[in-house]
Amino acid sequence: MNRPVISVVIPVYNVEAYIERCVNSVRNQTVENIEIILIDDGSPDRSPVLCDQYAEKDRRVRVIHKKNGGLASARNRGITVATGKYIFFLDSDDWLEKDGLQQLYELAQKYQVEVDFVRYRALRTEWPGLERNVPCRVETVREMQGGIYDRKRILQEIYPRLLATRQLTLGPVVGAWGALYRTDFLKKNQIFFFEEIKFSEDILFSAKVILCTQKFYYKEEAGIYHYWYNPDSISKSFREGRWESCKKIIEHAEIEFKNRKEYCFEQQLNWLTWFVILVGLKERGKMTDRRERKVYCKKLLNDPVVRKCPLKIQELDVPEKQKILLYMIKKNWWWIFSLI
């Protein structure tokens, strides 16, 4: 078989209930010359067996069984072994429209002399309080306009909010699954996920993608990818060690962005740190034991990362309620957070 045009990397862990829908959505793509790389990340359920069965059915399926290392580790393995011209990351509880990869591939081919990747707007599927398939929307400050982004436009429109915004949100480019990447672009620039970061590993991966790219294309019209609401996913349930992983985001962000010549990210690094602190503190709401919540809040608010982070309220554009929360964090009123 000729070189695949697209390598679809699917990390697999405890998803036996969803993997059939995911994998079949790729097997049935209108682009047939693809490879489907299933990375079994030491899954304890029947997922590894199901992966092997797919490989027996479809010669385009490759299965890699590895010791559990987390989502970042699984995706990195996928990048390493991918042979396709392009790489696409697909989460194993999500799925694609039948012509999803075709749409992205045609855009990438149309602009292949210019772009390193093509981003798109996905669909939220079966999210509480929303219709079944609605376009993924983010805060207004994070939105992007469609079309080509060259270095000039990137510096003007993306860099000022690449890591975080004064509203304490993330930037406009985050989800790793939200793009089709040129494989040689990722490998040439050594763009991999930080494996120490077990949660929200996309943040720094996507930011580094923007640092290295010369041009990319953004397809503003929604479609292609079904981002499914999974109540059991790592982003929606409490996980031990999430705060320690959050601190790794801050640590690596400092290393990667503090002394950039083309742009000063110091202010954004402060905003990102406060965003991560708030995310870590919000985790208390997923804890049912009040005693554990109290211990968690005390530990977090006494962490040196929190204590040393300067709070510059005048730089922020956040509601008064959030300003009060930030003030209470800075004052180390941890006992209040253990109660609310």
Side-chain angles (χ1 to χ4, degrees), residues 106-171:
E106 288 178 356
L107 284 170
Q109 287 296 102
K110 180 178 179 180
Y111 298 107
Q112 63 180 329
V113 178
E114 301 178 310
V115 302
D116 296 309
F117 61 95
V118 176
R119 284 196 70 83
Y120 62 91
R121 190 187 300 277
L123 298 168
R124 292 186 189 271
T125 300
E126 297 177 10
W127 281 62
L130 299 177
E131 295 181 16
R132 189 171 191 276
N133 291 314
V134 296
C136 283
R137 299 287 180 184
V138 291
E139 299 88 346
T140 302
V141 71
R142 298 178 60 195
E143 284 288 358
M144 295 169 54
Q145 299 297 314
I148 288 282
Y149 282 77
D150 58 14
R151 284 306 294 177
K152 181 179 179 181
R153 190 177 181 188
I154 291 169
L155 285 166
Q156 290 178 344
E157 299 183 24
I158 305 297
Y159 267 48
R161 53 188 179 143
L162 176 59
L163 297 175
T165 71
R166 65 179 65 252
Q167 289 79 15
L168 296 187
T169 71
L170 292 175

Side-chain angles (χ1 to χ4, degrees), residues 74-211:
R75 284 174 169 170
N76 281 345
R77 180 67 69 85
I79 295 173
T80 302
V81 303
T83 64
K85 183 177 181 180
Y86 298 96
I87 288 181
F88 185 87
F89 299 107
L90 174 61
D91 286 353
S92 49
D93 50 2
D94 298 332
W95 68 97
L96 299 174
E97 287 284 307
K98 190 171 184 178
D99 65 343
L101 294 181
Q102 182 79 41
Q103 292 184 52
L104 294 176
Y105 178 66
E106 288 178 356
L107 284 170
Q109 287 296 102
K110 180 178 179 180
Y111 298 107
Q112 63 180 329
V113 178
E114 301 178 310
V115 302
D116 296 309
F117 61 95
V118 176
R119 284 196 70 83
Y120 62 91
R121 190 187 300 277
L123 298 168
R124 292 186 189 271
T125 300
E126 297 177 10
W127 281 62
L130 299 177
E131 295 181 16
R132 189 171 191 276
N133 291 314
V134 296
C136 283
R137 299 287 180 184
V138 291
E139 299 88 346
T140 302
V141 71
R142 298 178 60 195
E143 284 288 358
M144 295 169 54
Q145 299 297 314
I148 288 282
Y149 282 77
D150 58 14
R151 284 306 294 177
K152 181 179 179 181
R153 190 177 181 188
I154 291 169
L155 285 166
Q156 290 178 344
E157 299 183 24
I158 305 297
Y159 267 48
R161 53 188 179 143
L162 176 59
L163 297 175
T165 71
R166 65 179 65 252
Q167 289 79 15
L168 296 187
T169 71
L170 292 175
V173 181
V174 179
W177 47 260
L180 179 72
Y181 308 90
R182 272 194 9 248
T183 305
D184 61 354
F185 163 72
L186 294 183
K187 293 185 177 181
K188 177 183 177 181
N189 290 286
Q190 291 292 293
I191 304 174
F192 292 94
F193 296 87
F194 292 105
E195 296 188 11
E196 294 174 293
I197 301 175
K198 303 299 182 181
F199 312 101
S200 302
E201 67 291 324
D202 303 54
I203 295 173
L204 295 186
F205 174 88
S206 297
K208 191 170 181 181
V209 162
I210 294 296
L211 286 184

